[in-house]
Amino acid sequence: MRLNSFFKKYWVGLVFIAIFSTASYLNLLYLINYQKNDGKHIQISSRQAILSQSIALVTIRYYVDGEDKTKGLKLINEFEKNHKYLVSLDLSQELKDEYFGESNFNKKVKEYIKQAKFFFKNWDDDSYLYIVNNSD
C-alpha cells in the first residue's frame, strides 16, 4: 500500500514538471518570435541613417560630377519605403511623441524625401543644400 502511494506522488510530480516544462518552452518560443521582429525593426531603423547619408553622398556626386541619378532615386525610394513601414508599426507612446509630436520627426523625414526627389528631377540648388545639410 505504501509503495502505491509513493508512485501516485511521483506521478503527480512528473505531471507538474511536464506542464511547467511545456509552458516554459511555449513562452520561450513566443519571446524569440517577438524579438525577431524587434531585430528587424532595429535593422531597418539603422539602415535609414545609412541611407540618408548615402543619398547625400550620391547627391554631391551628381551635383559635382553629373553622375547617373538612378542610384540616388533608388536610394530615395528605399528610404521612403522603410519610413512608411516604420511609421505604420504599433509604436510606443514615447516613439509616437518623437515622430509625430513637437519635434515632428515624421515631417522632417518627409521633407527630406521631397527635397531629394525634387533635386534629382529638377537639379535645384536649394534642394541640394537641404539634402546635404540635413542628412544626419
Side-chain angles (χ1 to χ4, degrees):
M1 195 71 164
R2 274 184 161 278
L3 194 58
N4 196 13
S5 175
F6 173 75
F7 285 122
K8 282 182 184 177
K9 288 178 185 177
Y10 181 72
W11 176 251
V12 170
L14 282 177
V15 168
F16 277 123
I17 290 172
I19 290 170
F20 288 128
S21 296
T22 304
S24 296
Y25 175 74
L26 293 174
N27 188 37
L28 185 63
L29 282 178
Y30 170 77
L31 290 174
I32 288 171
N33 285 329
Y34 186 76
Q35 288 177 349
K36 277 184 188 177
N37 288 335
D38 286 350
K40 177 183 175 184
H41 302 156
I42 291 167
Q43 182 183 18
I44 291 172
S45 296
S46 300
R47 178 90 176 119
Q48 290 298 84
I50 295 167
L51 284 171
S52 68
Q53 293 170 357
S54 297
I55 290 168
L57 179 63
V58 171
T59 300
I60 292 169
R61 288 181 178 163
Y62 180 60
Y63 187 82
V64 173
D65 299 331
E67 255 187 38
D68 184 27
K69 65 182 180 180
T70 55
K71 183 176 181 182
L73 292 171
K74 186 177 177 182
L75 291 170
I76 294 165
N77 288 336
E78 182 181 352
F79 186 75
E80 184 175 29
K81 182 185 86 175
N82 288 349
H83 178 69
K84 285 179 181 177
Y85 172 76
L86 289 171
V87 296
S88 74
L89 297 173
D90 185 23
L91 303 173
S92 68
Q93 189 58 45
E94 183 180 350
L95 285 175
K96 284 180 186 175
D97 292 343
E98 183 70 28
Y99 266 81
F100 306 107
E102 191 175 313
S103 66
N104 207 344
F105 188 69
N106 181 52
K107 184 178 179 182
K108 292 175 185 176
V109 172
K110 285 183 176 182
E111 182 63 25
Y112 185 82
I113 292 167
K114 180 180 144 194
Q115 293 289 336
K117 284 181 176 181
F118 188 80
F119 172 75
F120 280 101
K121 291 179 182 170
N122 300 310
W123 189 287
D124 179 63
D125 287 338
D126 291 335
S127 295
Y128 168 75
L129 292 174
Y130 185 90
I131 295 164
V132 172
N133 291 326
N134 293 286
S135 64
D136 52 345

